[in-house]
Amino acid sequence: MQVRPETAPFGVTDPSRLVPYLERRGFAPGDCLLRQGTVGAECYLVEAGEVRLEVERADYDSDGVIAYVQAGELCGEFSFLDGRPRSASAYAHTEVVASRLTEVRLRQLCADDPETGLAVLRALGRDAAAKAREASQHLQEFVFGDEVDPSVDRAVAAAAAAQAAFAGWPEARVEDLLDRIAQAAAAHAEELAAATVEETGIGDVADKTFKNRFASLQVNRSLQGKPGVGPRPTDERGVTEIASPVGVVLGLIPMTNPVSTIVFKTLICLKARNALIVSHHPAAVGVGDRTVQLVQEVLRERQAPTALLQSVGRASRTRTAMFMRHPGVALILATGGTAMVKAAYSSGTPAIGVGSGNVPALVCADADPRAAADAVVASKGFDNGIVCGSEDNLVVDASVREPFVAALRRAGAAVLTAAQADRLLAHAFDSDGHLRREVLGQAAAAIAAAAGVELAEPARVLVLPLPLDQVDGPYGREKLAPLVSLFTVEGEEQGLTVCRRLLANQGAGHTAVIHTGDERLQQRFGREVPASRILVNGPATHGCIGIGNGLVPSLTLGCGTFGGNSTTDNVTYTNLLNIKRLARPV
C-alpha cells in the first residue's frame, strides 16, 4: 500500500486507517482556518499551499505575522491538545488544501482504533514540542543574537551599493527622476487604488486614487527646486551647513495607505539621495509589490540602480526586525501601528515614527455651522474614515449645537438617536472596546445596515451623540471608520478641557481642529492643546497632510514627545539628511 505523504506527520503507517476521520477542505487566499481566541476543538494538516499564523491586534497597522506553515505540517495542534483559547489566527496565505481533524473525530478514532489514535496523539505532542523548542530558539536569536538571514545581508548590501552610486547624481538629474516616478505613479493611481481596496477590503477607490495622486504629484512639487545634498550658503557666523544622505532607510508601510506611503517615502528618500527598503503590511503585499515594481521600471528607464527601492520579501515580525537592527540600515521611517513603531524605536537603529490619531474638533460658539459641518463630513467621509488624522470626536458648544447638527445632516451625515447609537456601538466595538475588524474602513451605509440601523437618507458619516462621561472610554478614541462621536460642552473652558482629555485618551501630539473666527481663541487653543498640527476652520484629513494650507505635504506625521516621537514635523526629505557644519574662527 502506498503511504500518502501528507498523512506522515500524524505518525500513521497505514493511512487508510486515518483517512475516514479527516475532512479534506480547500481555502482561498485570505480565508481563515482558525480564529484567535476560539477554543481549540480542531487542528489541520496542511496538504498543499502555505498558511500564515498571525496575532490579531486592535492596532490594525502593526504586522502580527509570527510564522508560516508549509505543506506536510500541522496547524493548530497546541490549542487542540490543551483545550485553551488560540493565541493566534491562521489564514490561507496561498490557495490551501488541508485535512481537518476535530476533537469529536479523534475521540471516535481512539475508541474505534486505539493503536492509531495513540499514534496520532503522540505525533501531535511531538510536533507541538518541536515547535515550542524552535520558538524558544527564535526568541533567543531575536533578543540576543547578532546573526541575520543571508538574504537580509544581500538586500542591505545591494541598497548600500545603489545609494553610493546614486549619491553623486546632480540635482537636475535627481529631480527629473522624481518627476518620472511621480508621473508614473499618478498614471496608475486609480488602478492601484482599486487593487488596494480589493486586497485589503477597506477604503474607497475614488478617495485612494486622489490620495495616490497627492502622494506623487503634490509631494513631488514640494520637492522640486529645493536644495538637496551639498553645501548651503555660509551664514553670518561663518558656518557652512553641508547636507549629506543618511544612507539606507527602512520604511514600514501601513495597510491603510500602502501605495501612497510607498510613493511618498520613495520620493523623499531619493530627493535626499538615500536608498529605501520597504516592509509591506501582510494585508497589502500584492499591491505593495506592484507599486515597487512600477517605481523600479522608472529607475531602470532613467539608468538609476533598481536596488534604490526594494521590498524585504515575505515580511514577518522576525524578518522585519532583522532589517531594523541590521548595521547597514541607517534609519527607520516607521508609518503604521503603535506596535511596529515601538519595535522600530527599540531596535537600536535611529527611527522617525508616528503616533496614534484621535483628532478632536472643537466647534465654538461663533463657528459657522455650515462650513464646519461641510469640513467634518468631507474629512471623516474621505476613504471611509481610515486616515489617522481625520476627526474622531466633535466637541460642540451647546449654543451652536442645533444649527450644527442640522448642517451635518445637510452635508450628508446621519446623526443617530440614542437608541441607534447604542445599537451601532454594540456592533462596531468588541467587549474590550476595540473597533471590530469588519467595521474598519467600511462605508457608513454598510456599517449601519450590518448593525440593524435604518437610515432615513444616504449618509457618508455616522455621528454618535454621547454623554461627556464617555470621553475617557473607548468611544472617545480613534475610530478608523466613518464614525465620529459628538460631545456637547458649555463654553470655552469646558471645550478646551474635553479636547485635552480626548488627546490624553489616545492621540496626544497628532492633530486637533478648532472652528472659530476668534483669533484670541485660536491662539489659546494652539498653546494649550498638545497636538503637533493645529488646524483652523478646515477638514482634518486634508489639512494634516498639507492640503489647503501651508503645511509640508507628507504622509508621515510626527507627534513629538507628546506622542512618544522624536519630531512634530510633517516628515519630508530634510528629515532624511545628515547636516554637517563647517565652522570657522570668528
Side-chain angles (χ1 to χ4, degrees), residues 36-57:
Q36 179 177 321
T38 59
V39 177
E42 60 188 349
C43 68
Y44 283 93
L45 172 64
V46 179
E47 298 182 17
E50 187 175 47
V51 172
R52 182 178 76 245
L53 302 183
E54 187 169 345
V55 177
E56 306 284 2
R57 297 180 178 275

Side-chain angles (χ1 to χ4, degrees), residues 102-193:
T102 66
E103 183 180 349
V104 171
R105 288 285 190 169
L106 178 58
R107 189 179 297 113
Q108 183 181 349
L109 171 63
C110 290
D112 295 344
D113 187 347
E115 182 181 352
T116 301
L118 180 60
V120 169
L121 287 169
R122 283 175 172 165
L124 290 170
R126 282 195 304 270
D127 189 81
K131 285 181 179 177
R133 285 192 292 269
E134 183 180 4
S136 177
Q137 179 64 29
H138 284 171
L139 180 61
Q140 291 177 35
E141 292 173 357
F142 180 81
V143 176
F144 303 110
D146 293 324
E147 295 185 4
V148 296
D149 189 306
S151 66
V152 175
D153 278 329
R154 289 193 295 270
V156 175
Q163 188 274 324
F166 181 62
W169 277 35
E171 198 65 36
R173 189 178 179 191
V174 172
E175 292 194 346
D176 174 71
L177 176 63
L178 300 185
D179 268 335
R180 298 292 179 144
I181 291 171
Q183 291 165 11
H188 292 82
E190 185 173 7
E191 164 199 332
L192 291 171

Side-chain angles (χ1 to χ4, degrees), residues 162 276 292 295-297 299-301 303-310:
L276 175 65
V292 169
V295 174
Q296 287 178 335
E297 288 175 11
L299 294 173
R300 194 175 296 109
E301 290 169 2
Q303 287 78 55
T306 55
L308 284 171
L309 177 62
Q310 302 176 70

Side-chain angles (χ1 to χ4, degrees), residues 356-362 379-380 387-395 476-479 484-485 499 502-503 506-508 510-514 525 531 533 535 538-541 544:
S356 298
N358 185 32
V359 178
L362 180 60
S379 175
K380 193 59 179 176
V387 176
C388 59
S390 63
E391 295 87 345
D392 289 292
N393 302 282
L394 306 176
V395 182
R477 297 180 189 152
E478 181 181 65
K479 296 171 275 291
V484 60
S485 301
C499 287
L502 288 164
L503 287 168
Q506 183 186 65
H510 202 290
T511 301
V513 184
I514 184 168
F525 190 78
R533 282 151 292 278
L535 307 177
T541 294
C544 70

Side-chain angles (χ1 to χ4, degrees), residues 444-484:
I447 295 172
V453 174
E454 293 186 11
L455 302 179
E457 301 287 342
R460 294 183 62 200
V461 174
L462 303 175
V463 180
L464 309 166
L466 295 172
L468 287 174
D469 62 8
Q470 296 293 321
V471 164
D472 304 309
Y475 309 144
R477 297 180 189 152
E478 181 181 65
K479 296 171 275 291
L480 296 182
L483 309 176
V484 60

